[in-house]
Amino acid sequence: MRSTVVLTEVRNGLRRNLGLTVAVILTVLVAGVLGGLSFLLHEQVNVMKSYWYDKVEISVYLCGTDSVAPSCLGPNGTAQAVTDAQRRQIKADLLSLPQVKEVYYESKADAYKHFEEQFKGSPIAASAPPDSLPESFRVKLKDPKTFAAVTGAFTGRSGVEEVQDERQLLDKLFSALNGIQRGGLIIAALMVVSALLLIANTIRVAAFTRRRETGIMRLVGASNLSIQLPFLLESVVAAMLGALLAGGLLAALKAFLIDGILAPSFQFTPFFGWDSLWKAGALVLIASMLIAASASMVTLRRYLRI
Amino acid sequence: MIRFDNVTKLYPSQVRPAVDEVTLEIDKGEFVFLVGASGSGKSTLLRLMLREERPTGGSVHVLGKDLNRLSAWKVPALRRQMGTVFQDFRLLPNKSVFENVAFALEVIGKPRHTIAQVVPEVLELVGLAGKEGRRPDELSGGEQQRVAIARAFANRPLLLIADEPTGNLDPATSVGIMRLLDRINRTGTTVVMATHDAAIVDQMRKRVIELEGGHLVRDQSRGVYGYSR
Ligand SMILES: Nc1ncnc2c1ncn2[C@@H]1O[C@H](COP(=O)(O)OP(=O)(O)OP(=O)(O)O)[C@@H](O)[C@H]1O
Ligand SMILES: [Mg+2]
């Protein structure tokens, strides 16, 4: 069949089934937005991971006179501050670990100064006595994933109150974000199922309304392809329109919400870039066209027997 | 051209075959009437020729092809060499006469200039020159059947299959349709036509094949509709 004939058929078919076509477009739109959002959230977590993991440190807090950790208690059961010898030895041992890149020392006074800076103007700053904050070693690792070597070696050592890995705090945030992303994916998958059923139903209705045409086509010897192609193209075109709209919405979200509002107000947080958005758009477009095509082929096999 | 060897067709839901052990042969250029009471299996026999149905027993050869062995994707090529006409015309109501005929050529991929040349020719042949722009509902039954015949004949088929083409028409109009089918037959096209119309069969004096309960009970050259009249 000539391509102009096919195109005319496709256009007529879309128009004749306008209500269902719009339903397919909207369903694909919602599925596409949800799927795209969960992809973008995934990208966002990755961006934040690579940004923050480089910056996170391990803090090795040293014992003070008010510590309660067992490793800080002396033989008489009272807390003992870390000695100079212990402090030197801990630093030397930290530096000897192959995973460690850098170690620097934060005294009680430094800690208080940072604390004051962070909570300037807040009553908390005034409430804390200057020597209530512990001294610590801040450790930067060559590869943040190897933190277990440091925590394992120093937790419970005498003179060390606690080893804290900032990465663990971040991981809690990231796993929460991943949970949201998975939830989005599940809803998107449900929407895909409804899109599949809707497309199947649309084709069934279209095949029924056009049974005269297809019956004649069969009798005069039109090939299976030319009988089925208009139906297939119709659903693929509808899905494509839905996907393009979804891509447009995602782009608007990136431009107005992220670039326009969030990025200026959270300057220390990196956000996913336009490359991720293009990827999300392409993914949604390809997936929805494939889904529409496969739903159509399965349905056509059943309802347009040759 | 057409050969049935011991062909039986039993529809899945039925107990009695619609076509029962029929053997027949139709040569190129013949004009054959298929007669028999309602339900005797005429339409089923025609559908077997068109490969709309597959036999449950025996073999059907059409245009040199064993339809049992013909793979599904080759069926369209076979049907392009066959024209079909039905009692209910089967025209597309929202297309003009010209477009109805052109549609049959478009969907088998004929180029535009061929269509522009062939459609007026075949409409002229069936006597519809000047009515190309009309819709089916602006035509009489006889004219609608002429459009259907034009569509069936547009691709110059080797075989024309007609299932009660005059079933919905009055006797005078039917005669016109039969003249047209006869003309088409004279161009060398084999015509197989199922009918209940005794007057036509008696008048034309062509080969008559009679079915009764799915069995072939009579095959007579230059026959009449029935003995017992
Ligand atoms: N699709 C079908 N499924 C089941 N049974 C069928 C089907 N088509 C026809 N039959 C049965 O097969 C038998 C023959 O039917 P067929 O249509 O071939 O008869 P016919 O000679 O064309 O009748 P008519 O003159 O009324 O058109 C009938 O008993 C009919 O009920
Ligand atoms: Mg019949």
Side-chain angles (χ1 to χ4, degrees):
Chain A
M1 202 157 42
R2 288 198 318 271
S3 55
T4 49
V5 178
V6 175
L7 287 182
T8 317
E9 284 285 306
V10 169
R11 208 190 48 216
N12 288 345
L14 286 174
R15 202 183 302 150
R16 232 178 314 188
N17 252 330
L18 195 62
L20 276 171
T21 307
V22 170
V24 169
I25 293 175
L26 291 180
T27 314
V28 172
L29 166 67
V30 175
V33 166
L34 282 169
L37 276 182
S38 36
F39 174 79
L40 288 176
L41 196 54
H42 175 75
E43 292 281 292
Q44 177 63 19
V45 167
N46 281 346
V47 165
M48 283 165 57
K49 266 186 188 163
S50 64
Y51 180 80
W52 287 113
Y53 276 4
D54 272 357
K55 302 205 165 29
V56 296
E57 301 166 337
I58 294 175
S59 302
V60 179
Y61 292 105
L62 303 177
C63 292
T65 47
D66 51 356
S67 298
V68 290
S71 55
C72 296
L73 301 183
N76 54 0
T78 57
Q80 285 187 337
V82 64
T83 64
D84 281 348
Q86 279 177 330
R87 194 184 293 122
R88 261 198 313 277
Q89 191 55 48
I90 289 169
K91 182 165 187 183
D93 289 352
L94 276 171
L95 285 169
S96 70
L97 284 176
Q99 295 90 343
V100 168
K101 192 161 97 186
E102 236 184 293
V103 175
Y104 61 94
Y105 173 71
E106 187 179 80
S107 68
K108 277 175 180 283
D110 294 337
Y112 186 70
K113 210 165 70 202
H114 289 151
F115 177 80
E116 264 193 323
E117 272 166 16
Q118 230 169 349
F119 294 98
K120 208 187 286 169
S122 131
I124 304 173
S127 70
D131 63 348
S132 63
L133 293 169
E135 55 186 301
S136 62
F137 284 113
R138 297 298 163 104
V139 182
K140 264 198 190 306
L141 297 176
K142 287 176 188 140
D143 176 2
K145 288 193 199 76
T146 57
F147 69 94
V150 180
T151 30
F154 289 88
T155 306
R157 177 171 169 158
S158 60
V160 173
E161 183 182 13
E162 193 189 0
V163 181
Q164 202 180 60
D165 177 20
E166 288 179 359
R167 204 184 118 109
Q168 281 171 334
L169 298 176
L170 284 179
D171 279 348
K172 265 185 204 143
L173 171 70
F174 292 152
S175 71
L177 289 178
N178 280 334
I180 297 174
Q181 184 226 343
R182 233 164 283 144
L185 264 187
I186 289 170
I187 303 175
L190 292 177
M191 291 305 298
V192 165
V193 172
S194 61
L196 279 173
L197 294 175
L198 196 58
I199 288 169
N201 200 47
T202 308
I203 289 207
R204 213 178 56 183
V205 171
F208 184 76
T209 47
R210 274 185 272 165
R211 63 194 184 287
R212 256 175 185 279
E213 277 93 333
T214 52
I216 292 166
M217 287 168 91
R218 272 175 352 104
L219 278 176
V220 301
S223 64
N224 292 357
L225 183 71
S226 57
I227 295 176
Q228 300 190 345
L229 196 64
F231 292 91
L232 186 102
L233 285 181
E234 271 163 50
S235 59
V236 170
V237 165
M240 203 175 74
L241 288 177
L244 289 177
L245 287 176
L249 273 185
L250 292 174
L253 182 99
K254 163 77 175 146
F256 297 117
L257 184 66
I258 293 187
D259 290 357
I261 300 173
L262 290 180
S265 31
F266 293 91
Q267 297 201 355
F268 295 108
T269 309
F271 288 96
F272 63 86
W274 282 96
D275 55 326
S276 299
L277 194 99
W278 287 122
K279 260 190 256 171
L283 216 69
V284 167
L285 188 66
I286 291 168
S288 42
M289 285 167 67
L290 281 181
I291 286 166
S294 44
S296 316
M297 284 195 281
V298 172
T299 321
L300 285 172
R301 216 167 238 284
R302 261 190 81 182
Y303 291 99
L304 274 187
R305 278 239 157 272
I306 305 301
Chain B
M1 174 120 299
I2 299 174
R3 205 172 79 229
F4 277 55
D5 290 310
N6 256 322
V7 173
T8 298
K9 172 66 189 180
L10 178 64
Y11 287 107
S13 52
Q14 310 291 76
V15 283
R16 202 177 55 82
V19 168
D20 208 349
E21 307 220 317
V22 168
T23 298
L24 60 83
E25 186 150 0
I26 295 171
D27 289 330
K28 185 166 167 31
E30 277 196 272
F31 194 119
V32 180
F33 284 117
L34 206 55
V35 302
S38 213
S40 58
K42 304 183 295 295
S43 296
T44 302
L45 201 74
L46 296 182
R47 283 208 293 273
L48 286 166
M49 293 177 190
L50 285 165
R51 204 189 180 267
E52 288 227 59
E53 299 289 351
R54 314 281 297 263
T56 36
S59 68
V60 180
H61 284 77
V62 174
L63 295 165
K65 300 277 192 305
D66 181 349
L67 299 196
N68 284 343
R69 299 229 184 102
L70 192 71
S71 53
W73 65 272
K74 283 186 178 157
V75 172
L78 178 79
R79 290 192 183 146
R80 285 175 199 195
Q81 297 177 288
M82 309 165 83
T84 39
V85 178
F86 297 94
Q87 184 174 2
D88 58 359
F89 318 139
R90 303 201 185 171
L91 301 177
L92 296 174
N94 47 7
K95 283 193 193 298
S96 69
V97 167
F98 185 97
E99 289 164 346
N100 263 284
V101 179
F103 180 74
L105 295 170
E106 279 168 1
V107 299
I108 58 171
K110 291 286 172 197
R112 206 189 301 255
H113 61 89
T114 309
I115 295 174
Q117 187 195 337
V118 164
V119 177
E121 270 174 25
V122 73
L123 285 175
E124 164 95 54
L125 174 85
V126 301
L128 285 175
K131 293 181 177 161
E132 295 87 349
R134 299 230 197 143
R135 306 246 158 177
D137 60 4
E138 297 165 341
L139 296 174
S140 71
E143 287 168 332
Q144 290 185 49
Q145 193 60 293
R146 284 168 191 269
V147 179
I149 292 171
R151 182 178 64 195
F153 192 61
N155 198 33
R156 305 289 151 153
L158 299 169
L159 174 62
L160 187 76
I161 289 178
D163 195 353
E164 301 189 37
T166 59
N168 276 341
L169 305 175
D170 65 54
T173 314
S174 300
V175 169
I177 294 295
M178 290 318 297
R179 284 219 182 95
L180 180 55
L181 290 179
D182 194 33
R183 258 180 82 188
I184 284 174
N185 176 234
R186 281 172 210 279
T187 67
T189 304
T190 310
V191 178
V192 182
M193 167 175 164
T195 186
H196 283 294
D197 198 327
I200 282 174
V201 178
D202 291 349
Q203 200 176 22
M204 299 270 294
R205 288 280 166 171
K206 300 285 188 186
R207 179 175 170 191
V208 174
I209 293 173
E210 183 173 349
L211 292 176
E212 205 179 284
H215 294 283
L216 195 159
V217 294
R218 173 161 65 109
D219 186 349
Q220 190 180 23
S221 56
R222 306 181 63 75
V224 291
Y225 183 74
Y227 295 119
S228 50
R229 277 187 309 130

